[in-house]
């Protein structure tokens, strides 16, 4: 295939972009994510499955082929966002005939087509001031402040931008868990357990299971949203115990006589 045809194919197909421009061969689930056109994607993936690497490619593809686009990278801390940002930067440097840089610093770069990639700590106040993002990626989303997620949603509504939340689970709480469990059809969901990752060996998994025990293993490698280890009752049992069919004994406090205590001298 001629180089012009390959360039065109790379623009249209992020998998070709990864293979041809970045010399990166995606796993099957990574190819699915790269090709996903869904506006809201949830990645529930085990540790080291390649979620940051794959979304870094998605970020670079968007910035390269959608001129003037804004890509925001968020995570629980500036340090973690910078790690994702440096993956995008590494891939940018790997590109043959990539676009020239207009501006480059430790937390953002701008390409000659006007696209910007910016990394932020995942707190609500850092997001205000940006507008019309084409893509927002939340890394370690189960650990990111819910306030960050609330702050980005109006921007996405206006720009029709794309949101990718990716994480290993962190208990049955927070916006990542809620979207995964109760977000309905508004989301595309991709689950990647350790078994789906060709680079994680059975031997390593057995060792991890022995070392850290079942609870940690299920959360870190099998994508399970676990109840807190010190929780007395399972959340599912509490949910089952709550019913609308039984009327409460008292409404408000009108019938309830406050308890009286004798003063102890
Ligand atoms: N398709 C692939 N082919 C070869 N190596 C890959 C592929 N995908 C990911 N890797 C490698 O696997 C390692 C883990 O990747 P990455 O950091 O993206 O995973 P992660 O899921 O974000 O991990 P963590 O849970 O620690 O944040 C990296 O060394 C990365 O280069
Ligand atoms: Mg990562």
């Amino acid at each position: 295939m001629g180089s012009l045809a390959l360039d065109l194919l790379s623009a249209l197909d992020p998998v070709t972009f990864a293979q041809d421009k970045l010399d990166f061969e995606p796993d099957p689930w990574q190819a699915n994510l790269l090709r996903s056109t869904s506006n809201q994607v949830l990645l529930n993936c085990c540790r080291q499955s390649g979620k940051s690497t794959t979304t870094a490619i998605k970020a670079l593809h968007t910035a390269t082929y959608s001129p003037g686009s804004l890509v925001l990278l968020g995570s629980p801390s500036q340090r973690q966002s910078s790690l994702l940002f440096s993956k995008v930067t590494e891939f940018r440097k790997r590109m043959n005939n990539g676009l020239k840089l207009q501006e480059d610093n430790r937390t953002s770069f701008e390409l000659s087509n006007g696209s910007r990639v910016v990394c932020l700590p995942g707190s609500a106040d850092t997001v205000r001031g940006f507008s019309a993002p084409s893509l927002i990626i939340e890394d370690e989303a189960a650990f990111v402040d819910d306030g960050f997620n609330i702050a980005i949603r109006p921007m996405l509504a206006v720009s029709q931008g794309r949101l990718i939340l990716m994480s290993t689970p962190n208990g049955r709480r927070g916006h990542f868990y809620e979207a995964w469990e109760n977000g309905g059809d508004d989301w595309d969901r991709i689950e990647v357990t350790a078994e789906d990752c060709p680079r994680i060996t059975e031997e390593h998994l057995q060792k991890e299971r022995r070392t850290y025990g079942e609870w940690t293993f299920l959360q870190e490698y099998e994508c399970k949203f676990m109840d807190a280890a010190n929780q007395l009752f399972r959340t599912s049992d509490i949910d089952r115990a709550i019913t609308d069919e039984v009327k409460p004994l008292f409404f408000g406090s009108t019938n309830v006589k406050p308890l009286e205590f004798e003063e102890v001298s």
Side-chain angles (χ1 to χ4, degrees):
M1 198 182 294
S3 76
L4 193 64
L6 262 176
D7 276 352
L8 193 61
L9 208 54
S10 289
L12 295 173
D13 178 26
V15 172
T16 307
F17 171 70
Q19 292 165 329
D20 182 53
K21 304 273 181 196
L22 309 176
D23 196 21
F24 178 86
E25 188 55 49
D27 297 340
W29 75 265
Q30 293 173 333
N32 285 343
L33 173 66
L34 289 170
R35 287 192 171 126
S36 166
T37 55
S38 168
N39 263 11
Q40 297 205 115
V41 182
L42 293 168
L43 291 180
N44 177 6
C45 301
C46 78
R47 296 296 318 281
Q48 287 290 293
S49 50
K51 49 195 178 302
S52 299
T53 304
T54 315
T55 51
I57 296 172
K58 190 105 176 155
L60 185 60
H61 186 268
T62 303
T64 304
Y65 296 110
S66 303
S69 58
L70 171 65
V71 177
L72 297 178
L73 312 176
S75 80
S77 68
Q78 183 67 49
R79 189 190 59 80
Q80 281 164 296
S81 297
S82 300
L83 290 175
L84 181 57
F85 180 69
S86 60
K87 282 189 196 289
V88 184
T89 302
E90 275 168 39
F91 280 124
R92 181 178 55 70
K93 288 180 180 160
R94 224 191 258 192
M95 260 180 93
N96 296 321
N97 310 320
L99 292 168
K100 295 228 159 24
L101 283 172
Q102 280 297 92
E103 178 208 305
D104 189 15
N105 60 52
R106 282 173 48 220
T107 56
S108 70
F109 66 73
E110 181 171 347
L111 300 175
S112 57
N113 66 356
S115 292
R116 289 181 72 206
V117 178
V118 182
C119 74
L120 308 161
S123 57
D125 50 337
T126 60
V127 156
R128 300 186 206 282
F130 291 103
S131 65
S134 302
L135 171 64
I136 301 183
I137 297 170
E138 250 189 70
D139 201 357
E140 307 292 357
F143 300 83
V144 169
D145 242 25
D146 289 345
F148 177 81
N149 192 256
I150 292 167
I152 59 179
R153 301 205 65 89
M155 294 196 301
L156 288 165
V158 172
S159 66
Q160 302 287 307
R162 187 165 290 166
L163 175 62
I164 301 176
L165 304 185
M166 58 169 162
S167 199
T168 303
N170 176 34
R172 300 167 73 81
R173 62 178 178 270
H175 63 277
F176 180 69
Y177 166 71
E178 282 302 327
W180 184 266
E181 201 69 16
N182 304 316
D185 296 339
D186 293 337
W187 295 89
D188 248 18
R189 293 173 179 74
I190 298 177
E191 183 180 284
V192 185
T193 64
E195 259 183 31
D196 305 318
C197 180
R199 289 166 298 282
I200 302 180
T201 63
E202 183 56 34
E203 196 186 6
H204 173 78
L205 291 178
Q206 303 272 2
K207 187 155 73 71
E208 293 287 277
R209 201 172 212 142
R210 282 195 303 276
T211 311
Y212 295 108
E214 197 64 7
W215 192 95
T216 304
F217 183 84
L218 288 174
Q219 175 165 278
E220 301 295 313
Y221 290 102
E222 303 240 307
C223 307
K224 296 282 186 280
F225 291 90
M226 304 295 286
D227 283 327
N230 58 359
Q231 192 168 318
L232 199 54
F233 300 104
R234 287 181 304 176
T235 307
S236 55
D237 289 341
I238 296 170
D239 286 346
R240 271 209 305 277
I242 295 172
T243 169
D244 294 336
E245 288 163 17
V246 180
K247 290 214 172 83
L249 282 178
F250 305 109
F251 289 100
S253 59
T254 44
N255 295 331
V256 184
K257 197 167 171 254
L259 289 175
E260 286 166 7
F261 296 96
E262 277 178 27
E263 215 168 272
V264 183
S265 53

